[in-house]
Amino acid sequence: FSLALFLASAMTHEDAAKVQVGFGKVSYLWPIFSGDTMSQVFTVRKIRNTSDGHHSIINFTCDLINQRDRLCMRADKALLFQFPVPESNLAARVVPDEPLLDRHLFRDHLLSKATTVLAEHPSNSLADLKPGMLILHTMHRSLTFSQSQQLASLARLTHERHFNSRKYDRTHEIFVPGGLVLGITMSAAARDLYEILHEEIQSCAYVNNLHPENVVGAISYVQAVDDNLPGDLEVVSVTTLGIKNIDTRDLANVDIPAELFQPGIFAKELEKICKNSCPILS
């Protein structure tokens, strides 16, 4: 899932972007197999200037399509550019949102196997997840500068912030690409959420930049659990925070504000809550 999202959202022409703001809805519509040939389609959905008048935010829809013209993944992505977009009187061609008639095709395929193939392999989940549960994941991940470069090159990223260590200091000026930040955060949480058959993302916000060698841990809050599904399957809604350079075990006796796990909360609000109510995370 994480690698598919990284590939779907990787843009070789985003050199002018300052940072990635985050992701919106991400849907994994059909599995990607080894040997598949993938192509990308990007659609500009929205352009707006920031309140300071010096930057602009552009929202894209990123589609990942296999060699059979099947849409495998769709993701909404937002980038911050360090220039304002001038006002225009020209009428833009509005591209309507295409209804995803097969949005749940992959999920429904898995559900159809719940009482047959999947029933032969009982659940191996490591934890019984309940609404309101807070999980301090003890697994931590990091990427070296070489690993970040290799993966960025594989996805054909060209932004100099990922590569140019002659111009930017690798300890605090070189950035790990946004898709990889999300990937290692999900990886840090993966063991305690084992085993996941299918997943979607409702939103993802990047609060601070991540640099090579930074260690990433994760905290998850279980929002809801729906076990009204066939077999041992259940749908779990989780909000996960990726935290850098902190061992999550050091948070065992720390009061973590519930407000941090509100769905759709903005990055500035997160930073404000951490600064006022949980300084160790600020």
Side-chain angles (χ1 to χ4, degrees):
F1 178 87
S2 298
L3 283 176
L5 176 56
F6 182 46
L7 180 59
S9 61
M11 300 177 175
T12 58
H13 53 279
E14 63 180 26
D15 297 51
K18 187 175 182 179
V19 292
Q20 182 175 341
V21 177
F23 288 105
K25 177 77 171 179
V26 179
S27 299
Y28 195 15
L29 305 168
W30 192 253
I32 298 172
F33 301 96
S34 177
D36 280 357
T37 300
M38 312 306 297
S39 60
Q40 301 162 292
V41 176
F42 301 116
T43 305
V44 177
R45 292 293 181 185
K46 184 179 179 181
I47 301 174
R48 67 176 179 87
N49 290 331
T50 57
S51 57
D52 62 12
H54 301 301
H55 299 80
S56 57
I57 295 177
I58 301 180
N59 295 82
F60 301 86
T61 295
C62 311
D63 288 340
L64 191 63
I65 302 168
N66 68 13
Q67 69 275 17
R68 298 180 179 84
D69 291 326
R70 179 182 286 276
L71 179 61
C72 295
M73 176 168 280
R74 171 167 289 179
D76 296 325
K77 176 181 179 180
L79 293 173
L80 176 70
F81 291 85
Q82 45 194 351
F83 55 79
V85 177
E87 293 185 7
S88 173
N89 294 322
L90 296 177
R93 182 175 69 90
V94 178
V95 180
D97 290 325
E98 298 179 13
L100 293 179
L101 301 179
D102 55 355
R103 176 184 292 276
H104 300 302
L105 187 61
F106 183 25
R107 186 201 66 180
D108 292 344
H109 172 72
L110 293 172
L111 288 174
S112 71
K113 303 298 181 182
T115 56
T116 55
V117 177
L118 296 177
E120 300 172 4
H121 304 278
S123 172
N124 293 312
S125 297
L126 300 180
D128 184 17
L129 301 178
K130 301 294 184 183
M133 182 182 290
L134 181 66
I135 306 171
L136 302 179
H137 303 288
T138 55
M139 184 175 288
H140 296 76
R141 299 293 196 197
S142 66
L143 287 175
T144 65
F145 183 42
S146 295
Q147 290 171 329
S148 179
Q149 284 184 309
Q150 290 167 354
L151 291 167
S153 298
L154 184 66
R156 298 184 180 181
L157 297 180
T158 58
H159 201 297
E160 61 179 355
R161 279 282 193 174
H162 304 319
F163 300 98
N164 193 347
S165 59
R166 299 288 294 179
K167 182 177 180 180
Y168 301 104
D169 186 275
R170 68 174 64 183
T171 60
H172 63 277
E173 292 181 325
I174 291 290
F175 296 158
V176 174
L180 298 181
V181 175
L182 177 61
I184 59 176
T185 299
M186 296 173 69
S187 176
R191 182 171 62 184
D192 295 312
L193 300 178
Y194 183 85
E195 56 190 330
I196 298 173
L197 297 180
H198 182 265
E199 54 194 316
E200 292 185 345
I201 293 176
Q202 299 301 320
S203 66
C204 168
Y206 292 109
V207 182
N208 291 293
N209 298 315
L210 187 72
H211 311 290
E213 307 291 350
N214 286 172
V215 177
V216 176
I219 308 170
S220 292
Y221 179 78
V222 181
Q223 301 281 1
V225 177
D226 179 9
D227 57 5
N228 294 314
L229 298 173
D232 288 333
L233 300 182
E234 62 183 9
V235 176
V236 182
S237 300
V238 177
T239 299
T240 297
L241 303 181
I243 57 176
K244 67 176 182 178
N245 299 331
I246 297 177
D247 191 318
T248 55
R249 284 164 285 211
D250 294 337
L251 302 175
N253 297 315
V254 175
D255 291 330
I256 300 176
E259 294 83 358
L260 290 176
F261 301 98
Q262 298 177 60
I265 190 171
F266 292 108
K268 287 185 178 180
E269 297 176 59
L270 283 170
E271 289 192 294
K272 184 178 179 180
I273 294 171
C274 288
K275 182 178 180 180
N276 295 334
S277 304
C278 194
I280 191 174
L281 295 181
S282 63

